[in-house]
Amino acid sequence: MSILSVPSPISRSYSSFSISISREPCSLRVLPCQIKKPFPKLRDGRRGKGGMVVMSMEAGIGVMGTKLGMMSYFEENGVVVPVTVVGFKEGNIVTQIKTEATDGYDAVQVGYRRVRDRKLTKPEMGHLQKVGAIPMRHLQEFRLQSVDGFDPNQRILFDEIFKEGDLVDVSGTTIGKGFQGGIKRHNFKRGLMTHGSKSHRQLGSIGAGTTPGRVYKGKKMPGRMGGTKTKIRKLKIVKIDKDLNVVMIKGAVPGKPGNLLRITPAKIVGKNIPKN
């Protein structure tokens, strides 16, 4: 039998422990280690705790609309306000109600923009036919604290849940700009354009040499710009026109004319959504 002394890297005092090695045959049994399963990955890349699906809680039911463009709106006191005109096609119908007992959370699924039957697949048509809804292109969920008062195939009208002066959150897909450089994508400053300058619109140094010998993650560099989902918070409703079936929202919203928009009540912590 031989004794082998191995220094332990746990402590700086280099305390040693002994391992006895015997030439006699012995049986080796390996105990299986308990490996915890990772939390399920969510749609936005985060992982829920205990397998729960973490979704964003809305302050209230919302609607979907179509961006029509921008214009100038004159208030009664003569102030010119830049507004975005949002129209509504046929839709905003409740297609499904999810509850804590059946799905683990309370939410209302809403459909928008009527299309022909052949534009949808048979599973999509079957899902809508369960509640007797018309074929619609877009389906989105609004997670709420309570789903009381909602019925399947119920039509949600904008003027019934919002009024002029309310604050709303508008989300949509921004305009895609393609592959852009650092100046346009990240507002970098260019170099001198005079004679002798060797750096005009180049990115410049992206890191040190031997140490660390790599480019840090998250470095602002040229790449694809735009085409991402963005939310503009706390925009004011200036005008609701029931005759034209449009609403005017102060400021700019994501996307170009014809883009799909999601309009929900503005989140104010402690007022319409809980602090936790």
Side-chain angles (χ1 to χ4, degrees):
M1 180 181 295
S2 60
I3 303 298
L4 177 62
S5 179
V6 181
S8 174
I10 299 177
S11 176
R12 292 188 177 181
S13 59
Y14 295 97
S15 61
S16 61
F17 61 94
S18 300
I19 301 177
S20 62
I21 303 176
S22 176
R23 295 182 180 179
E24 298 178 0
C26 62
S27 61
L28 181 62
R29 186 177 64 175
V30 180
L31 296 177
C33 59
Q34 297 179 355
I35 301 177
K36 294 183 179 180
K37 295 182 179 180
F39 294 135
K41 196 170 184 179
L42 306 180
R43 297 178 181 177
D44 55 358
R46 298 178 293 129
R47 293 188 182 275
K49 296 183 180 180
M52 294 180 58
V53 178
V54 181
M55 296 176 59
S56 177
M57 182 77 69
E58 298 291 352
I61 190 65
V63 296
M64 286 177 281
T66 303
K67 180 177 179 179
L68 301 180
M70 295 194 67
M71 60 174 289
S72 297
Y73 178 80
F74 291 84
E75 295 183 346
E76 296 180 355
N77 54 3
V79 177
V80 181
V81 180
V83 297
T84 300
V85 182
V86 180
F88 300 98
K89 298 182 179 180
E90 188 175 0
N92 285 322
I93 300 174
V94 177
T95 57
Q96 186 181 4
I97 299 177
K98 296 187 176 182
T99 61
E100 185 74 25
T102 58
D103 300 276
Y105 63 97
D106 295 329
V108 176
Q109 186 185 84
V110 179
Y112 178 72
R113 187 185 168 192
R114 181 169 188 169
V115 293
R116 297 181 182 178
D117 297 353
R118 61 185 181 87
K119 295 291 185 179
L120 302 179
T121 62
K122 288 186 177 180
E124 294 172 341
M125 286 294 301
H127 174 70
L128 297 175
Q129 289 175 356
K130 286 182 180 179
V131 296
I134 60 176
M136 290 174 288
R137 169 65 66 188
H138 306 287
L139 296 178
Q140 290 193 12
E141 282 188 4
F142 298 88
R143 184 177 180 183
L144 307 173
Q145 301 179 20
S146 176
V147 293
D148 298 336
F150 295 99
D151 299 320
N153 205 17
Q154 174 186 351
R155 189 176 298 273
I156 300 176
L157 301 178
F158 186 87
D159 54 350
E160 293 181 356
I161 57 178
F162 297 104
K163 62 179 183 300
E164 296 181 1
D166 289 349
L167 299 180
V168 293
D169 295 342
V170 183
S171 60
T173 304
T174 59
I175 299 176
K177 301 292 184 179
F179 194 96
Q180 298 296 333
I183 293 180
K184 181 169 183 175
R185 191 184 186 202
H186 301 294
N187 298 320
F188 287 170
K189 182 183 293 186
R190 64 168 176 82
L192 300 176
M193 301 301 290
T194 54
H195 177 71
S197 174
K198 298 181 179 180
S199 177
H200 302 299
R201 295 180 65 92
Q202 288 83 351
L203 186 64
S205 175
I206 59 175
T210 305
T211 304
R214 62 185 177 88
V215 179
Y216 289 117
K217 292 183 179 180
K219 176 67 178 176
K220 293 182 179 180
M221 300 180 68
R224 182 169 293 182
M225 179 180 178
T228 57
K229 183 179 179 181
T230 306
K231 177 185 289 187
I232 310 297
R233 302 187 63 236
K234 297 182 179 180
L235 298 179
K236 182 181 178 181
I237 298 177
V238 178
K239 180 70 175 179
I240 299 178
D241 196 326
K242 298 181 181 180
D243 298 333
L244 299 177
N245 196 22
V246 298
V247 59
M248 300 179 186
I249 301 176
K250 182 179 180 179
V253 300
K256 57 185 179 181
N259 190 34
L260 176 68
L261 299 177
R262 175 189 173 107
I263 306 174
T264 57
K267 295 182 181 180
I268 303 177
V269 179
K271 184 177 180 181
N272 52 16
I273 59 173
K275 294 184 179 180
N276 56 354

